[in-house]
Amino acid sequence: MKTKTLLSVLLGGIVASAILVSSTTTAERSIAQTPMEAAEGYFDAIIAKDKEGMMFYAKDTNYLDEKSREEGYREDLKTNPTSSYEIVGSKQINSNEFELSVILNYSGEGYKHTPPLPYKVFKSENSWKVLVEPLEINTLTGDVKKGMPIYKWQYTDS
């Protein structure tokens, strides 16, 4: 009889813990009600090295599917340690779209920060999302232009 009671208490504790963890995770990633909530959620996720948060708050045209996107984010978070960001400009295009200029600061050696990078934030169904598009950054001049999606890159042996 004591074994059944102990087992019931343990199972109850496990279920309660699972519910608590689930509700805590959901609370951290609430649906973005404004463009700035989406932007802050996305860039805060980059700093926290939280690929799931990045995927939640953004649509990324660099990747063909969610699996390659997740793998790409995992690698990028290892090699590009972003320490902070600054939103230096915002402009409303229409009721469903905003443009942002964002500077990313890095904690690694060498390249310390980006020039202002263009991002769009758009209304997607019932929330806002950051549109991440491929960019080409000239680190010498600070020029930024539209780049090629990662899935189209071709590597050659030279």
Side-chain angles (χ1 to χ4, degrees), residues 17-144:
S17 296
I19 291 170
L20 178 63
V21 169
S22 174
S23 64
T24 302
T25 303
T26 304
E28 290 174 6
R29 287 195 190 85
S30 59
I31 292 173
Q33 299 297 317
T34 67
M36 290 310 273
E37 284 179 17
E40 290 169 357
Y42 176 71
F43 293 110
D44 287 347
I46 291 174
I47 292 167
K49 297 183 179 185
D50 173 13
K51 67 180 173 10
E52 289 85 10
M54 293 167 63
M55 294 178 74
F56 183 82
Y57 287 109
K59 176 183 184 206
D60 195 328
T61 63
N62 279 293
Y63 303 97
L64 284 174
D65 56 36
E66 293 303 296
K67 183 179 179 195
S68 64
R69 181 178 172 202
E70 187 174 354
E71 290 170 6
Y73 284 1
R74 183 180 305 116
E75 286 303 311
D76 195 45
L77 290 172
K78 287 181 192 173
T79 58
N80 294 318
T82 305
S83 59
S84 64
Y85 67 92
E86 182 180 359
I87 298 173
V88 294
S90 67
K91 177 181 171 187
Q92 183 173 357
I93 303 304
N94 57 48
S95 62
N96 295 319
E97 187 176 14
F98 280 73
E99 286 182 350
L100 300 178
S101 293
V102 181
I103 296 174
L104 301 175
N105 299 301
Y106 300 107
S107 57
E109 295 295 316
Y111 197 59
K112 294 294 181 192
H113 60 87
T114 66
L117 302 176
Y119 286 91
K120 289 182 183 166
V121 184
F122 67 97
K123 187 79 169 184
S124 171
E125 297 175 17
N126 63 343
S127 71
W128 289 87
K129 299 279 185 183
V130 175
L131 179 62
V132 181
E133 298 179 291
L135 297 174
E136 189 176 303
I137 305 167
N138 183 323
T139 57
L140 297 175
T141 64
D143 290 336
V144 178

